[in-house]
Amino acid sequence: SPWAAGQSYNLGMPASFLPLPPAWLTQAVESAQPPEWLLQEAQLKSVLWLNHVLNQAEHALPRTRRLAGRTLQLRWMGRSWGWAFTPAGLLEVRSVDQAADLVLDLGSVSPLTLGSMWLRGERPPLRIEGDVQLAAEVNWLVDHVRWNPEEDLARLVGDAQARFLFQLGQRLLDGLRQYAKTRPSHSTGASGTPA
């Protein structure tokens, strides 16, 4: 019994207490087609965020400056997004009509599957085409550049409050990751080889 002498009564809640989403909700999310304007706006906002992260990672900027003019394209679920490195080492939106130096293809992996894989710390299946050296540089950036949300939060609310909120967020994220690890993986539906 957990109430016996010397044992803690504050037992951890099992990670399986959350139910799986209903099949109709999963299907609705996976088949949703957002409007084109929303996708374009999301691409612009993602470039702003990525550039903010690159600016925080000063050790990465000399590497990205050497990539000036090189282009990337991401393909996912029948859509394509393009970016190019600028002379400042940042990213800008690039038309997908032009040939890209490197193409990253996620196939048809659903957003829910991607989110679940991210929570479990897994990389999605990815088909890579194009410049091998550029692929190695992008892989280095993925492995060595990290966003520092606590630093950004401190600018808004101060150091002590930012530390508290960041630790709370970390606990919630750890709980979600633990929950995701206890759930079976869904098939990704994508072809290709992992990165």
Side-chain angles (χ1 to χ4, degrees):
S1 166
W3 302 102
Q7 291 187 354
S8 171
Y9 64 88
N10 190 13
L11 299 176
M13 186 173 287
S16 60
F17 74 97
L18 291 174
L20 286 173
W24 63 267
L25 179 59
T26 302
Q27 185 178 14
V29 169
E30 292 180 356
S31 63
Q33 293 293 323
E36 194 63 36
W37 67 265
L38 182 60
L39 293 172
Q40 290 173 355
E41 191 64 26
Q43 183 182 18
L44 291 172
K45 298 296 186 210
S46 68
V47 166
L48 289 174
W49 181 75
L50 288 169
N51 285 338
H52 172 71
V53 172
L54 283 171
N55 270 323
Q56 283 183 332
E58 295 178 9
H59 65 283
L61 288 175
R63 293 180 81 114
T64 55
R65 285 186 190 113
R66 292 193 303 259
L67 301 175
R70 309 305 302 273
T71 57
L72 306 168
Q73 189 178 98
L74 174 67
R75 295 179 187 156
W76 181 38
M77 299 182 74
R79 300 198 185 254
S80 296
W81 297 270
W83 298 276
F85 285 96
T86 69
L90 302 176
L91 290 167
E92 64 183 358
V93 174
R94 184 69 164 244
S95 169
V96 295
D97 298 334
Q98 304 169 6
D101 296 312
L102 181 65
V103 176
L104 308 172
D105 193 339
L106 282 168
S108 58
V109 180
S110 76
L112 290 177
T113 301
L114 276 181
S116 177
M117 292 178 84
W118 176 75
L119 283 173
R120 289 193 306 267
E122 300 171 3
R123 287 193 178 185
L126 188 67
R127 195 180 69 192
I128 301 171
E129 304 170 10
D131 187 331
V132 175
Q133 183 61 37
L134 181 56
E137 290 291 339
V138 170
N139 190 54
W140 185 90
L141 290 170
V142 169
D143 288 342
H144 293 90
V145 175
R146 295 285 177 264
W147 175 44
N148 186 348
E150 186 178 348
E151 183 179 312
D152 286 342
L153 201 53
R155 290 187 188 119
L156 296 174
V157 297
D159 290 339
Q161 293 86 348
R163 186 74 186 145
F164 170 76
L165 291 171
F166 180 73
Q167 288 175 345
L168 179 63
Q170 280 295 116
R171 288 187 192 129
L172 290 172
L173 190 56
D174 290 344
L176 282 173
R177 285 189 173 134
Q178 188 63 32
Y179 170 70
K181 287 179 182 176
T182 64
R183 291 291 171 203
S185 298
H186 299 290
S187 61
T188 60
S191 61
T193 56

